[in-house]
Amino acid sequence: MQPGQRVFLAVAAGVAVSTVYAAQPLLVTIGADLAIAPGNVGLFVTITQLGYAAGLFLLVPLGDLLDRRRLIRLQFLLLAIALLLTGIAQNAAMLLAGLAAVGALAVVTQSLVAYGASLSASTERGKTVGTITTGIVIGILLSRTASGILTDLAGWRAVYLTACAACLAIGYCMPRTVPQPKAGLTYGALLRSTIGLWREPSFRESAVRAFFIFGSFSTLWSSIALPLTSRGLSHTEIGAFGLIGAAGALAAGPAGRLADRGHGQLVTILASVLLATSWLATAHLLAGLVIGAILLDLAVQAIHVTNQSSIYRPELGSRLIGGYMVFYSLGSGLGAIASTALYERAGWNAVCLLGAAFGVGSLVTSVRGARRSARASRPCESCP
């Protein structure tokens, strides 16, 4: 795969995924505009993540059935329409419908990951996944910065209208590639095949780990606007924390290369330890929050890349990525609604305990996976 293609797919993935997270620094503002209580604004993130989970299961596997390039272009067009609906929403119901549609269609991000992996040789697959994941991380985190600045300049609706224009441009510019092989299955069989992945131990471990790491990730980034707003920070200042977290993108490339060399399991264990302990720093507003956010994002992205690289198989590309990312979405949705509700009732320290608990869950899953692999690799003493 050409470097220029990797960069384009990384940029496209970053733009698409940014639409899911753009609302996070704006939760209080959007809630006030639409008369929604601060303790319930996490619903904006949760409804988006539920839409994302549905899209992962129902739409991403289509990449194994249809021409991936055409499917990706169509998804970008529909995503632009959903963003337009969100940007012009006049009430809570219209906003939530728009956000659910944005979540469902923003799964084009994962279609791009599967697309890039399918175009890469096996020896470069980790590098490609790492490059696209870098774009995704930057998109997630810088979306907060961009949305904060745009909101201060032109209001929160400008965020979604700008993203609408960007998605239309990307869909138009998608580069031509050689058609990819398709699965000889009906759509129903394709979905059953996706569900059947749960029977595979390696997939199951990676999926559960994804639930925990993104539960921890969402716990921080969905609730961070609440304590910062109470301290009088502007949308731009809150969004600037995305620049701090963008350091996590630095972990994606090295983690992909280590996975290509067979060290993915070690990376997941060490990164899980880092994820759980990063909350010790995050508990201390504001200086500790900066350090904790950097460590947390480094850990999450390292695990995310090794997870995807370890389970990818060309013949199941889109189904594997889609099925795996359903757990990412469920973890993100739970982290969002639990953290914002918990903050209102028990404060920031309680939120930090929740985030650390998710990190411990990732560590336990990683250690159990390493033990299972060790047992599987031992020679059978009773065998001839």
Side-chain angles (χ1 to χ4, degrees):
M1 188 177 189
Q2 297 300 315
Q5 289 178 313
R6 286 195 191 99
V7 171
F8 180 87
L9 294 180
V11 171
V15 170
V17 79
S18 72
T19 64
V20 177
Y21 296 93
Q24 288 186 349
L26 317 177
L27 295 179
V28 176
T29 298
I30 298 175
D33 190 29
L34 299 175
I36 297 174
N40 296 326
V41 294
L43 181 62
F44 299 158
V45 178
T46 299
I47 197 69
T48 307
Q49 290 295 341
L50 290 175
Y52 201 80
L56 288 167
F57 180 68
L58 297 172
L59 298 180
V60 173
L62 286 173
D64 292 335
L65 196 62
L66 306 174
D67 181 85
R68 282 184 178 141
R69 178 178 176 271
R70 291 182 179 178
L71 178 62
I72 288 170
R73 292 188 71 183
L74 177 61
Q75 283 178 301
F76 268 111
L77 172 61
L78 296 176
L79 176 57
I81 294 171
L83 288 164
L84 178 61
L85 174 65
T86 304
I88 63 174
Q90 297 300 309
N91 53 58
M94 189 174 177
L95 177 75
L96 292 175
L99 289 174
V102 167
L105 293 160
V107 296
V108 67
T109 303
Q110 305 312 319
S111 298
L112 288 163
V113 174
Y115 186 48
S118 70
L119 293 173
S120 303
S122 59
T123 54
E124 294 186 338
R125 192 165 292 134
K127 180 179 180 180
T128 297
V129 171
T131 300
I132 298 175
T133 300
T134 297
I136 293 171
V137 177
I138 292 173
I140 290 173
L141 298 172
L142 296 192
S143 68
R144 301 180 177 93
T145 305
S147 63
I149 293 172
L150 276 171
T151 298
D152 281 338
L153 292 175
W156 67 267
R157 297 178 189 279
V159 174
Y160 291 96
L161 298 178
T162 302
C164 171
C167 288
L168 288 173
I170 289 171
Y172 178 78
C173 295
M174 272 295 296
R176 294 187 178 277
T177 56
V178 176
Q180 302 298 298
K182 303 176 183 64
L185 299 172
T186 64
Y187 181 61
L190 203 66
L191 297 183
R192 288 193 294 273
S193 173
T194 302
I195 296 172
L197 293 171
W198 181 253
R199 293 193 294 267
E200 300 181 14
S202 62
F203 174 85
R204 191 162 58 243
E205 288 162 9
S206 292
V208 171
R209 193 158 46 235
F211 173 86
F212 285 126
I213 65 173
F214 283 103
S216 187
F217 183 88
S218 185
T219 293
L220 175 65
W221 292 109
S222 295
S223 62
I224 194 172
L226 300 176
L228 297 182
T229 298
S230 68
R231 288 179 175 236
L233 274 68
S234 69
H235 297 106
T236 299
E237 290 168 330
I238 295 171
F241 273 82
L243 293 172
I244 297 166
L250 299 175
R257 289 191 289 273
L258 286 170
D260 286 339
R261 295 170 188 168
H263 303 303
Q265 205 163 67
L266 177 61
V267 170
T268 61
I269 292 175
L270 295 178
S272 294
V273 172
L274 182 61
L275 176 61
T277 56
S278 68
W279 285 95
L280 294 174
T282 305
H284 301 283
L285 295 166
L286 282 170
L289 180 60
V290 173
I291 297 170
I294 292 173
L295 297 178
L296 180 144
D297 288 343
L298 283 168
V300 167
Q301 299 314 321
I303 297 170
H304 187 39
V305 170
T306 55
N307 267 356
Q308 292 180 96
S309 296
S310 66
I311 63 174
Y312 185 82
R313 299 203 303 272
E315 70 277 11
L316 295 174
S318 293
R319 280 164 282 171
L320 276 171
I321 298 298
Y324 162 79
M325 290 298 294
V326 165
F327 292 85
Y328 146 95
S329 192
L330 293 175
S332 294
L334 178 61
I337 198 165
S339 61
T340 52
L342 194 59
Y343 177 80
E344 186 179 41
R345 290 164 176 76
W348 182 247
N349 286 338
V351 172
C352 292
L353 288 174
L354 173 65
F358 279 124
V360 171
S362 173
L363 177 59
V364 171
T365 305
S366 299
V367 170
R368 290 182 63 184
R371 288 176 176 173
R372 182 190 62 79
S373 296
R375 288 195 299 270
S377 63
R378 287 189 200 133
C380 177
E381 296 179 0
S382 62
C383 297

